[in-house]
Structure formats: structure tokens, C-alpha cells
Amino acid sequence: MTRFAFDIHATDGKARTGTIRMMRGDIRTPAFMPVGTAATVKAMKMEDVHASGADIILGNTYHLMLRPGAERVARLGGLHKFGGWDRPILTDSGGYQVMSLSDLRKITEEGVTFASHLDGSRHLLSPERSMEIQRLLGSDIVMCFDECPRADQPRDVIAKSMEMSMRWARRSREAFNAGAEHAERAALFGIQQGALDEGLRKASADALTDIGFDGYAIGGLAVGEGQEAMFATLDFAPQQLPADRPRYLMGVGKPDDLVGAVERGVDMFDCVLPTRSGRNGQGFTWNGPVNIRNARHAEDTGPLDERCPCPTCTKYSRAYLHHLHKSGEMLGAMLLTEHNLWFYQQLMAGMRAAIAEGRFAAFAADFRRDYFAR
């Protein structure tokens, strides 16, 4: 069986569609990965996540190492068995969460010492420990350990951070390779850093390419810089990475972010937005986001999205969803989350088909016309 292969089936401008082949299954690209932070995609059963069209989900190293613990997950048969998902899982390195969630942290060349946001216990997360945790979880796509600085920091600070992340990338590669059986069936992705700076991004891409990875992520975006700045960076960043490998934009994003990033050559995405928004009463539709809590939906007998074939839209009215969310009923969060995941997967399927048929520019124009019509 194939450990890892990426076949590009068609291109349209910079946009690409293809298939990542792995032992646990194929991943159609462009791909959106629902986020399963703590071994669960919130408010969803795994079989329903797959029914939405997802080929792969994301697990979170930081949260799983703290609770229930990577060693415990390993004793219980690994993350796939533990969470009931038998297809590919990508795990992040934990680096971003350490930076964003831990008030007490110290960064050195060795790694990051931090206090758990749960109980204050002290931990060291290094490239070697991150690889070990992801190996214990049984990850299919492992992410290098890196630092993700804010884009508004001085260039010399961002440069030093990027250079350290590249040294950590090499250590991650060596630690991953030492993983014996796991390394023979899993893949390792490097992470490009450099914030919004084209020169730093190029230096990072060159360093990663020199080390050699199965795929390459674009890190350090979607951290508050705004869509215009993100797109300006994506105008050059994907093309700095090897063309024959998947390109993964981490932590993105809104539906219009996905379309714009695919236009610029990105193949993979993850984001908490469809699930988090679903819990908070926001549904994504082909005609733009809908706040189901608004009073105008209270007696609307129509579906959330007339173009959506998901179980929520085919069985329940806007009025019922409005009632559930106003009443604080957990079913409201479940139904809107299910719809949002279906919508995101329909959007990815639509982009894949449009690229394959050479009509991606028209697809993107039609999407924006309808999505921003209000």
C-alpha cells in the first residue's frame, strides 16, 4: 500500500485539484479538514462527519497531550480507535496553542516550557516531544514543531523566530525518521513561516525544501492580519513551495477565504469556524452567513439553505432552528454544525469539479456574487 503520494489531476490558473493517497484512504484536494480538537468534532458523531464528505480530520497535539494524555491514547489503541475515525488524521504540532493559550511560557532553542491552561502543571514541548506525541496518537500526517509569531512584530523578531523554526523543522524530521514503524506509514509536513514578508517566506521555503517533506504548510497567517494582507501573502507564498507536493494553509477559514486561497494554489485547509459558528447560531449558506437567532426566522418555514442537501436542510425549518437556539437546546448546535460541515464540503467539491472542468474563474465569480449579495 502507498505510504503517501500526491497526484495532481488538473490545474486551472494557479488552482489545482488532485488526490493524496495514504494507507488509511484517499484525500480529495482541495480538501477541508474538520477540526477534532479533543478527539471529537464538536457536536458531531464521526460517521456523520464522514457523511458530510470529509476525507480527513485534524487532531490537536496540545489538547490531547494534556487530556487525556498521549500515552493513555496509545494504550487505548490510538486516536483512530479512541475517537471512532478510521480514515486519515492530521495532527498539528502543538506550537500554536502553546503560544496562544499559555500565559506562562518560556521559549528556548530546546523548545517551549509552558504551564497547562487546565491545571497549571509544567510541560516541555520540543520538536522531539511533539513527534513522540503525534506518534503515540497514531497520526497519519504529522506536523513539524514550530513557533508562530504575530505578524505585527518587528522584522528581525520574525526572522529570528523563522530561523529557529527551521532548525526545529530539521530536528522534527530527524525525530520523525527515528519513529520506525510509524514513520513507514505516516507523512511529515514542514511549516513555512515568515509572516507577511516575501523574502523571509522564501528563505523558509528554501530551508524546508532542503530538508525534504511530504507536504508543506503555510503557517503564520489567519492570526489577525486581515484577509487583504493574507491574500497578498498568498499571492507569492504557495509558489515558493514545491509544486509537486500538497500545500496546506493552516487555520483558514471563512468560505470566501477558501475560494481565494484555492485561486492562489492552496490544496488543504482546516478551521474551527464551521463547528464554532454552528454552536453559536451562525449558518453558512450559498447566499451568505445567516444568524438563526434573528427574529425574522421565527416563523420561516423554509430550509436554512434551499441549495443544500444536508439532513438539517432537508428535514428542519429555519423556524425550528431558531426555536432550538433561542431555547438553548443542544440539538440546535448539533443541527447547525452538521449543516455547516456539509456546506464546507459542498464548497470544496464544487471547487474540485470547477477546476477539473476548466471553469474555476466562473465558479469563483458566481460564488462571490451570491455569497455577498446582501
Side-chain angles (χ1 to χ4, degrees), residues 128 131 168-179 188 211:
E128 293 77 16
M131 296 303 103
W168 285 357
R170 189 170 292 279
R171 286 168 55 190
S172 295
R173 172 89 263 181
E174 292 168 355
F176 176 87
N177 289 350
L188 180 67
I211 298 168

Side-chain angles (χ1 to χ4, degrees), residues 62 65-66 97-106 112-125:
Y62 172 88
M65 72 177 279
L66 295 179
Q97 283 72 27
V98 168
M99 310 307 166
S100 62
L101 295 179
S102 178
D103 292 330
L104 300 173
R105 63 179 184 271
K106 181 180 180 183
V112 185
T113 304
F114 67 95
S116 165
H117 74 286
L118 297 176
D119 59 12
S121 59
R122 303 290 292 179
H123 301 266
L124 170 67
L125 196 53

Side-chain angles (χ1 to χ4, degrees), residues 4 20 22 26-37 40-41 46 49-50 52-59 85 87-92 139-143 189 216-218 246-253 258 266-275 340-341 344-345 348 352:
F4 186 91
I20 297 170
M22 300 194 73
D26 291 348
I27 304 158
R28 297 163 292 177
T29 66
F32 180 82
M33 300 179 282
V35 175
T37 301
T40 172
V41 176
M46 287 302 188
V49 174
H50 182 245
S52 75
D55 295 329
I56 178 173
I57 63 171
L58 180 144
W85 178 265
R87 293 166 179 85
I89 295 176
L90 179 149
T91 48
D92 62 17
S139 171
D140 299 289
I141 299 180
V142 173
M143 299 305 300
F189 279 28
Y216 295 85
I218 301 166
R247 301 159 176 164
Y248 162 32
L249 179 57
M250 305 181 76
V252 175
L258 303 184
V266 176
D267 306 300
M268 299 171 68
F269 305 88
D270 80 279
C271 190
V272 299
L273 197 60
T275 49
N340 283 346
L341 289 179
Y344 268 60
Q345 296 300 339
M348 305 317 289
R352 290 193 296 265

Side-chain angles (χ1 to χ4, degrees), residues 31-252:
F32 180 82
M33 300 179 282
V35 175
T37 301
T40 172
V41 176
K42 286 182 171 57
M44 294 288 290
K45 294 186 292 184
M46 287 302 188
E47 55 265 38
D48 295 332
V49 174
H50 182 245
S52 75
D55 295 329
I56 178 173
I57 63 171
L58 180 144
N60 189 278
T61 290
Y62 172 88
H63 289 284
L64 290 167
M65 72 177 279
L66 295 179
R67 186 171 56 197
E71 283 76 11
R72 175 171 291 171
V73 172
R75 289 194 297 272
L76 295 171
L79 192 54
H80 296 79
K81 183 177 181 181
F82 186 57
W85 178 265
D86 62 0
R87 293 166 179 85
I89 295 176
L90 179 149
T91 48
D92 62 17
S93 71
Y96 176 76
Q97 283 72 27
V98 168
M99 310 307 166
S100 62
L101 295 179
S102 178
D103 292 330
L104 300 173
R105 63 179 184 271
K106 181 180 180 183
I107 303 171
T108 66
E109 190 68 33
E110 182 183 6
V112 185
T113 304
F114 67 95
S116 165
H117 74 286
L118 297 176
D119 59 12
S121 59
R122 303 290 292 179
H123 301 266
L124 170 67
L125 196 53
S126 65
E128 293 77 16
R129 177 59 176 157
S130 178
M131 296 303 103
E132 180 184 27
I133 292 168
Q134 294 179 77
R135 183 165 59 247
L136 288 165
L137 296 174
S139 171
D140 299 289
I141 299 180
V142 173
M143 299 305 300
C144 279
F145 187 64
D146 68 332
E147 184 189 10
C148 182
R150 294 198 321 271
D152 60 358
Q153 292 187 301
R155 186 180 191 275
D156 64 323
V157 173
I158 293 170
K160 288 180 180 177
S161 171
M162 180 274 289
E163 290 162 0
M164 183 172 68
S165 286
M166 296 307 97
R167 294 191 294 273
W168 285 357
R170 189 170 292 279
R171 286 168 55 190
S172 295
R173 172 89 263 181
E174 292 168 355
F176 176 87
N177 289 350
E181 182 270 336
H182 180 247
E184 294 174 2
R185 59 179 174 80
L188 180 67
F189 279 28
I191 304 176
Q192 181 199 48
Q193 290 291 352
L196 310 178
D197 189 286
E198 185 169 1
L200 294 180
R201 287 270 172 191
K202 180 64 165 66
S204 177
D206 290 347
L208 293 172
T209 304
D210 182 61
I211 298 168
F213 293 95
D214 296 298
Y216 295 85
I218 301 166
L221 294 177
V223 288
E225 75 279 359
Q227 188 186 73
E228 184 178 351
M230 180 179 74
F231 281 171
T233 304
L234 293 176
D235 283 336
F236 58 78
Q239 276 64 50
Q240 295 173 335
L241 299 167
D244 62 344
R245 303 287 174 157
R247 301 159 176 164
Y248 162 32
L249 179 57
M250 305 181 76
V252 175

